[in-house]
Amino acid sequence: MSTAQAAEATRSTLSIEDVSVGYGRKQVIDRMSAAPLLPGTLTALVGPNGAGKSTLLRSLAGLVPGKGRLRLGTRDLRQLPLSERARHVSFMPQGLPQGVALTVLETLIGALRATPPAGGPVSDEEATRRGIALLERLGIADLALRSLDRLSGGQRQLAGLAQALIREPDVLMLDEPTSALDLRFQLKVMGLVRDTVREHALIGIVVLHDLALAARFSDRVMVLHGGRLRADGSPDETLTPALLAEVYGVRGRVERCSLGHLLVLADEALPQQARA
Ligand SMILES: Nc1ncnc2c1ncn2[C@@H]1O[C@H](COP(=O)(O)OP(=O)(O)O)[C@@H](O)[C@H]1O
Ligand SMILES: [Mg+2]
């Protein structure tokens, strides 16, 4: 990246203004606006099932139409052709496609070919080198030549993460990237995502159900509930017992462990009438 490009990248915040998204007549995201998302910041997008988290990310990636303004720096994301939008915005969906008979390394080379990075197209040798280097960073170099359709759910999730990262996008969006991972890989992946976001000044958005993991690794937490932004701020500001009750319908505690990390403990499901 040249100095001029780096300077440009640091100015490119992601702004979401008055955004509505739905399927047919069903409105899912309802006129949502948020403070700009800043480069180098990892945001956890949380909320109960059906809150609209995946829908919001799909809309940012241009996969479902919507209303309102989505801007990356001075660019209107909605006006960009999908191919160019994919260069700026990388999205790892919640359910990765099954039955893909390519090797993990082939999918990475294919991703670089389909969406050349900002520096321009790369040769196959260079794509291979970058692919292997990334798999080594992720700790899954042993999967390079394995076929995607022969991997476990967690391994496929790691391969999907590699596909999202290889393009070096400005905005990195991961939908539940840790849902199938064991404890060690959850920590490894979230640490790597946080470090990548900081080192490359990316705008990172990660959907998580594990609120303690969200608190530990993210700079900002956006809480979606019923298609609206219910809370938005630091983990300390947003993750409170009142929020757990209102949004998740549970009586819970938010406490600090002996290492100073926030722990979110759900003690019991509240009866329906106690939730309002
Ligand atoms: N392709 C679709 N067609 C119609 N409705 C959908 C579709 N995808 C999701 N929905 C609905 O939109 C709402 C939000 O879904 P989603 O964004 O997947 O929530 P979350 O990711 O927060 O669990 C849900 O009510 C869901 O049933
Ligand atoms: Mg979802």
Side-chain angles (χ1 to χ4, degrees):
M1 198 186 261
S2 71
T3 319
Q5 279 172 330
E8 216 275 325
T10 54
R11 282 201 304 271
S12 291
T13 63
L14 176 68
S15 67
I16 301 173
E17 278 175 55
D18 208 22
V19 164
S20 297
V21 192
Y23 304 96
R25 295 221 310 262
K26 184 184 163 73
Q27 176 97 329
V28 175
I29 302 292
D30 187 16
R31 305 197 65 172
M32 175 181 160
S33 297
L37 287 97
L38 308 178
T41 303
L42 184 61
T43 299
L45 181 61
V46 308
N49 292 326
K53 305 178 296 293
S54 297
T55 300
L56 179 64
L57 293 198
R58 275 187 219 123
S59 169
L60 290 168
L63 302 176
V64 289
K67 294 196 198 110
R69 288 174 298 287
L70 288 176
R71 256 195 290 271
L72 182 62
T74 53
R75 291 185 195 86
D76 181 348
L77 279 182
R78 293 202 199 285
Q79 300 296 326
L80 290 184
L82 261 191
S83 59
E84 200 182 328
R85 190 158 169 168
R87 190 201 323 278
H88 294 291
V89 180
S90 191
F91 171 52
M92 181 182 112
Q94 194 172 346
L96 291 165
Q98 308 256 347
V100 177
L102 296 171
T103 68
V104 172
L105 186 56
E106 281 167 342
T107 64
L108 298 182
I109 296 168
L112 276 179
R113 227 183 258 148
T115 317
V122 293
S123 66
D124 279 1
E125 292 80 51
E126 173 64 9
T128 305
R129 195 192 61 71
R130 288 192 196 184
I132 291 173
L134 177 58
L135 294 175
E136 276 169 358
R137 271 180 71 204
L138 289 169
I140 53 167
D142 56 321
L143 300 184
L145 302 178
R146 297 268 304 276
S147 178
L148 219 53
D149 59 3
R150 301 275 169 88
L151 300 181
S152 74
Q155 289 170 331
R156 248 203 332 271
Q157 211 162 30
L158 292 165
L161 175 67
Q163 277 180 57
L165 285 170
I166 193 89
R167 298 188 172 116
E168 302 178 1
D170 301 314
V171 183
L172 175 70
M173 303 191 296
L174 308 168
D175 200 347
E176 300 196 23
T178 58
S179 61
L181 300 183
D182 66 39
L183 282 177
R184 183 159 182 280
F185 266 113
Q186 286 181 25
L187 292 175
K188 246 186 98 112
V189 160
M190 287 308 297
L192 188 104
V193 168
R194 180 193 54 196
D195 293 348
T196 305
V197 160
R198 289 195 181 154
E199 277 164 29
H200 299 274
L202 308 184
I203 296 166
I205 311 177
V206 180
V207 174
L208 292 170
H209 275 302
D210 184 332
L211 299 179
L213 210 56
R216 168 110 179 249
F217 287 98
S218 61
D219 305 295
R220 173 172 172 183
V221 179
M222 290 171 68
V223 185
L224 212 55
H225 185 211
R228 287 171 178 265
L229 195 56
R230 166 61 185 75
D232 182 5
S234 69
D236 281 297
E237 288 162 348
T238 48
L239 302 175
T240 61
L243 180 104
L244 295 177
E246 186 189 322
V247 170
Y248 289 93
V250 299
R251 191 188 319 282
R253 288 168 289 149
V254 181
E255 297 179 353
R256 274 195 197 279
C257 75
S258 56
L259 294 179
H261 302 311
L262 279 190
L263 291 182
V264 180
L265 303 147
D267 291 320
E268 62 172 335
L270 290 168
Q272 203 63 35
Q273 64 270 25
R275 294 187 58 182

